[in-house]
Amino acid sequence: MIVAGIMTGTSLDAIDVAICDISIEGDRESVTLVSFASTPYPDDVADLVSAAIAGTATMEQLSDLPFELSRAYAAALSPFRPFAIDLIGVHGQTLWHHPPVSTWQGASGPALSALIGLPVVHDFRAADVALGGQGAPLVPIFDQMMLRHATQDRIALNIGGMANITLLPNSRIAEQPNNRIEEERSVRAFDTGPGNVLINAICRRTYGARYDDGGRFARAGVINQRALDELKAHPYFAMEPPKSTGREVFSDDMAEMLYRKFAHPSVPSEDLIATLTELTAWSITDHILRYQPSTTEVIVSGGGVHNTYLMERMRTLAPGMVFTSSADHGVDPDAKEAMCFAYLAARTYHGLPGNIPSVTGASRAVVLGSVSAQTPIR
Amino acid sequence: MIVAGIMTGTSLDAIDVAICDISIEGDRESVTLVSFASTPYPDDVADLVSAAIAGTATMEQLSDLPFELSRAYAAALSPFRPFAIDLIGVHGQTLWHHPPVSTWQGASGPALSALIGLPVVHDFRAADVALGGQGAPLVPIFDQMMLRHATQDRIALNIGGMANITLLPNSRIAEQPNNRIEEERSVRAFDTGPGNVLINAICRRTYGARYDDGGRFARAGVINQRALDELKAHPYFAMEPPKSTGREVFSDDMAEMLYRKFAHPSVPSEDLIATLTELTAWSITDHILRYQPSTTEVIVSGGGVHNTYLMERMRTLAPGMVFTSSADHGVDPDAKEAMCFAYLAARTYHGLPGNIPSVTGASRAVVLGSVSAQTPIR
């Protein structure tokens, strides 16, 4: 089955499309990346999404948004049409995330399906939230299938706009069915806080750069310890998982506030970028050390893997753990989330649940999303 | 197949649930109403929807709305659980309708499906709008199946918040497959303008009544010809179909404006109600006379069928046509739209298109909506 996964994250910089060859048969599952491209997010759609998230969009704009997004997705898909795609999984754009009350993923499955004439699965978070879950993160079921090891305790880390980790304790117990005393340790996962969101906001504000390429700004700066200590005191970091966060907490507004508070003609902008990079490195490694100190390997994906300074800081803050790129395990670090939504779409299409209750806090495992199909769904 | 159709119209007064026994096999289709109930709309949800439509809802409220609605739908469904329901079709609440750019039906299929553990089809209008259609009306395919006659030209009329008609020219030509010269005359349908929306708004404003019971207020009033002429000049009425409208055009605000303009201590409120009732009767019959003067029977459904004064006014304005209740044709007039969405859900589930391009203006027929299923969809 050829499945296209479409991911648009909180950073609004690109529409990621991953074409995957997926096989789901009983316990034997595989996802192989066939092709991947990251298309720039159209400016007018990014403006619409930003206005929605900022709460300044009109009802008309909010109504138009999923249709504009669908047209942008259809355009991003068009170079891949030669792949004979069977199914599309689209994450959509998170406009509001307020678990366990509600979540709002802007995307129209019916519109996209009608435009391209293929079945589309969308709105993956709502069912989990309706069952009391956080609706996030959803990547852990993919991490578990691709990255879990029989004898090593691993962590899958994704650094996008936000950063999240999946605790993958070794599956040894599960492979000894006669040993009924020890229970299999659950996969757990949660957002650790900001990934690149604050760093990117300051790079834009100060250098007009979309991100800190290779961490060069941060590397040139000096950490402002007072600012860092203040940021570490944000209540999100101390909260017990399951927990998730987003741009309604770690926002451009927050970055702007930090800029106004700490920027000064005598202080290089690099200092604030270094400080925010340290916040990301600290919040990630602090959660790892708190919740799975036995970790041997941290497998990193998302844009943050390219920030070599951030990677160095994490290695320093969590000595004894190996930090690798997910590419070493068959998962292109930039394509990972798009691959995950291709996999989740295939699960939904096969009537299989996509959430892990120990991760999201939902009352049960549930088939996620909604299928819009231009052909009989049987 | 037992299918529950859930309809919540623009008047925000009730959640209608129709339990239907549906058979779809080739050309032999049938829909039989098994049970029906109209549950009061929860006040807090109605307030949320009203705020959304008025453009005063926050992003948080807009995010919560589909989840609150899903809980209300689940509650409205619970008395029907003994019916062993196979599938649910839910119209949702129209928050914005701006074809052919976009449409917004507030409802969460995944949330409702997760809450009740049954497959749900929702968001029926988006695919048609994405293909350049008006996304409305969708009832015509149901009217065609239930009410079209071999030799008589009929009209199906629904009077809800808005009023809409389906032109059902006789199907004689279609039954003579050898006659290839004459084309089958297409089914067409469109909104004629306000149904009960303005009448209800004034009843609330003046008497605190939810609607004009049996048309008694209107019957006691005198039509204000100057006001009526001014209202008839609204550009919507002269527009050529396909066309559709909603509360963003014929709104409570419009009713309030009319009240302020025409109410006076010396003028009984009944006069304004009579005038708005005449506007509804005129706009319906005027469209019928313009677009299918050969009509022999007008088959009426929706709350308006109970307004005997409105029925009388239509009979007077379109002499020579018989006005009957859809009950005479096996369609409970109050249950019709809910029955229709049960039928549309069954069509989607069977991979059959649900729109009629000659009605909506879409570029092609398309499978409508999105299926959220807790069991394998095969």
Side-chain angles (χ1 to χ4, degrees), chain A residues 62-263:
Chain A
L62 291 171
S63 179
D64 291 354
L65 192 154
F67 288 77
E68 295 296 334
L69 262 178
S70 294
R71 286 179 201 108
Y73 293 148
L77 275 169
S78 62
F80 296 102
R81 294 309 291 266
F83 283 108
I85 297 163
D86 297 305
L87 180 66
I88 289 159
V90 54
H91 173 269
Q93 193 67 56
T94 302
L95 301 181
W96 192 266
H97 190 61
H98 185 211
V101 181
S102 73
T103 186
W104 185 1
Q105 310 304 318
S108 172
L112 180 57
S113 178
L115 287 173
I116 60 177
L118 287 170
V120 172
V121 189
H122 83 299
D123 202 3
F124 289 91
R125 302 192 190 274
D128 185 85
V129 169
L131 296 178
Q134 293 283 316
L138 297 180
V139 176
I141 200 164
F142 179 69
D143 287 332
Q144 174 175 254
M145 192 267 292
M146 295 293 284
L147 304 175
R148 200 172 190 183
H149 193 271
T151 58
Q152 289 177 19
D153 293 344
R154 288 176 166 178
I155 281 199
L157 163 63
N158 190 77
I159 309 174
M162 304 298 142
N164 55 68
I165 58 174
T166 303
L167 313 188
L168 298 166
N170 70 72
S171 54
R172 196 180 46 227
I173 307 301
E175 291 181 351
Q176 299 177 344
N178 295 331
N179 184 343
R180 304 211 168 185
I181 296 164
E182 280 192 81
E183 276 194 6
E184 184 185 4
R185 284 173 297 162
S186 298
V187 169
R188 289 188 298 161
F190 48 89
D191 291 347
T192 58
N196 303 316
V197 58
L198 301 176
I199 299 167
N200 291 357
I202 298 296
C203 288
R204 266 198 310 277
R205 176 71 161 84
T206 55
Y207 293 101
R210 282 176 43 241
Y211 55 92
D212 185 6
D213 190 8
R216 68 189 62 178
F217 294 139
R219 192 184 297 277
V222 175
I223 292 164
N224 177 333
Q225 196 61 43
R226 186 172 63 86
L228 181 62
D229 289 343
E230 193 170 302
L231 287 162
K232 284 181 175 181
H234 191 289
Y236 183 78
F237 301 123
M239 275 171 65
E240 288 295 315
K243 60 183 179 178
S244 66
T245 188
R247 283 185 169 247
E248 68 282 1
V249 177
F250 298 103
S251 62
D252 287 359
D253 284 353
M254 186 183 192
E256 182 64 25
M257 198 200 67
L258 292 169
Y259 181 81
R260 293 194 185 174
K261 186 163 180 181
F262 295 108

